[in-house]
Amino acid sequence: MTRRSCAIYATGIVCAHLLILGIALLVAQVFQTMIQERIKKEITLAENSRVLDGWINPPPPVYMQYFFFNVTNPDEFLAGKEKPKVTQIGPYTYREYRPRENVTFLENGTKIFATNPKSFVFLRDMSVGDPEVDRVTTVNIPFIAVMNELNSYSFFLRSFVSMWMGSMGIEVFMNRTVHEVLWGFKDPLLSKLHTMRPEVDEHFGLMYNKNGTHEGEFVFHTGEKNYMDYGKIDTWNGISQMNWWSSNQSNMINGTDGSVFHTFLSRKELLYIFAADLCRSIHLGYVADTEVKGIPAFRFAPPSDVLAPPDENPNNAGFCVPAGDCLGKGVLKVSVCRQGAPIVVSFPHFYQADDRYISAIDGMNPNEEEHETYLDINPTTGVPIRACKRAQLNVILKRVPGFPKTKFLNETIFPIMYVNETATIDDESAAQMRTLLLIVTVVSNFPVIIVGLGAILLVILIFLVCRNRQRKNEVKRIDFTEAFHSFAKCGRDLQSVKLDSLQCVKQESLQSAKLEDLRSVSMQNLQYLKLANQQSVRLHIVKSVEL
């Protein structure tokens, strides 16, 4: 057996083994299962987990952008002459820091306790102005809260309180700096109430007492028992179910806090997030595939039925408090967890809400790009790569008998401000994520690589076999050609021999002819000589006679 044949047989054997092994591993999904189990084990909140430090101190920067709605025609609106006109001012941007503190493992490491205090630092270069200088005209929420609280009391008491507030110059609308509305100020109405009821705080602000404080005490599942429970909330402030809403389903604390999700997400599943500021859990559905800094991600966003009325989504019936007292599509009344204040939450500019809320306010321009809440999550690791949480704070304005300043008001969901909370993975974490995903891809597709190598060797084998056959055919062709040439040469040699023989014959014929000629000439000469001799004899005889 030649060396070439050995190479062909060896290539064929290796090719067959690679193809068989690769296809077997591909069908059995050995490497896919192995890498998935490894990731499920690594991505937990266990004590020695690699992701625990990032969960306690999240590296991506979080920015809070506040936009306010400045009322430009408060007097005309209260007089019933015009619908309210607002202009959006902002953003006023703050860097949010949210480390987890008091981290404690519970129940043999299957659960983890933590608080999540948040602090905010103003970023002037990312803001439109100075919040301590810029002023905004907006609804006087303490006034509306007191008026709403007195709605169940007698008409005479309401009238008395109305005159008392009027004597202090307290109006339906107020003009304050952005900083005061956001972080708090000493309100004259609340200060008077504080003297009568000390439990009433005399300060008011949308984010009052929220800088440096947390939203409650959380207990999370670590994912040690079941990777699907990774990051899910077990209890909040010691309870596993709320009691504000009118149904058990609405009171459930579902999902995570939005910072982590279980690994290997599916496009078909719904993701649940508990939002303490909304006093409820919401769900997000798959929207589209996307990519952030070279990292593949699934985009999840709240569908339109999240804030739909019960006639569109019966599961939302429990959010009507008291039962049956429901608002329209796209808004949620959260008075039950806001000390009775007539607060309503929605998406910015009433995005996904009924047209009646949008058309009631001049200056609302909802659009998906600027006002949709979404999460871009890497499906393999369950890590949010980019997050954008957008929510709007509104107040209910309506006519209250006994308060003459409201006599021209129809019930209106009035926008105060909205927040745009954003976070994107930092470059260092993105690089680590890309490396991890590359390793996962290579290991998961290792059987495909083996099959690919087998296919390449199969091509090489086919080439070698064809080449070998071609060379054999060439050798046979060469042998035939050489034989043919040898035969032709022999023919040429015989022909040359024949020609030489013919030439020899011709020469011999010529020589024979020449000899014949010479013979004939010689005979003629002899005859001449004989005649000459005879004549000379005759002459000699004649002479002799004469003598």
Side-chain angles (χ1 to χ4, degrees), residues 16 51 96 102 106 114 116 129 133 227 230-231 281 288 291 322 519 528:
V51 301
E96 180 182 353
N102 304 315
L106 306 172
N116 192 197
V133 175
Y227 81 99
Y230 168 62
S281 297
E291 185 177 287
R519 283 178 183 174
Y528 288 140

Side-chain angles (χ1 to χ4, degrees), residues 6 30 36 43 63 103 109 181 218 252 267 299 333 459 481:
C6 291
V30 174
Q36 287 180 10
I43 300 182
Y63 298 101
V103 177
V181 175
F218 289 86
M252 293 176 64
R267 294 180 179 88
R299 173 162 293 186
K333 187 178 179 181
V459 173
T481 304

Side-chain angles (χ1 to χ4, degrees), residues 145-165:
V146 172
M147 183 176 65
N148 187 73
E149 183 70 21
L150 294 172
N151 197 28
S152 59
Y153 289 82
S154 67
F155 174 81
F156 296 103
L157 179 61
R158 293 197 299 269
S159 299
F160 174 76
V161 173
S162 175
M163 291 186 292
W164 174 64
M165 288 192 295

Side-chain angles (χ1 to χ4, degrees), residues 304-320:
S304 58
D305 66 348
V306 168
L307 297 180
D311 57 344
E312 295 184 21
N313 183 3
N315 294 329
N316 286 343
F319 295 112
C320 300

Side-chain angles (χ1 to χ4, degrees), residues 245-264:
W245 308 108
S246 59
S247 73
N248 291 332
Q249 182 178 2
S250 299
N251 281 317
M252 293 176 64
I253 299 176
N254 294 324
T256 72
D257 62 354
S259 62
V260 295
F261 297 90
H262 67 82
T263 56
F264 303 104

Side-chain angles (χ1 to χ4, degrees), residues 299 348 351 365-374 388 390 418 420 422:
R299 173 162 293 186
Y351 174 68
N365 299 291
N367 65 82
E368 178 180 324
E369 182 179 355
E370 295 180 324
H371 304 139
E372 182 186 43
T373 293
Y374 64 84
C388 192
R390 293 156 172 165
Y418 78 86
N420 179 27
T422 60

Side-chain angles (χ1 to χ4, degrees), residues 2 304 357 382 480:
T2 63
S304 58
Y357 299 127
F480 176 77

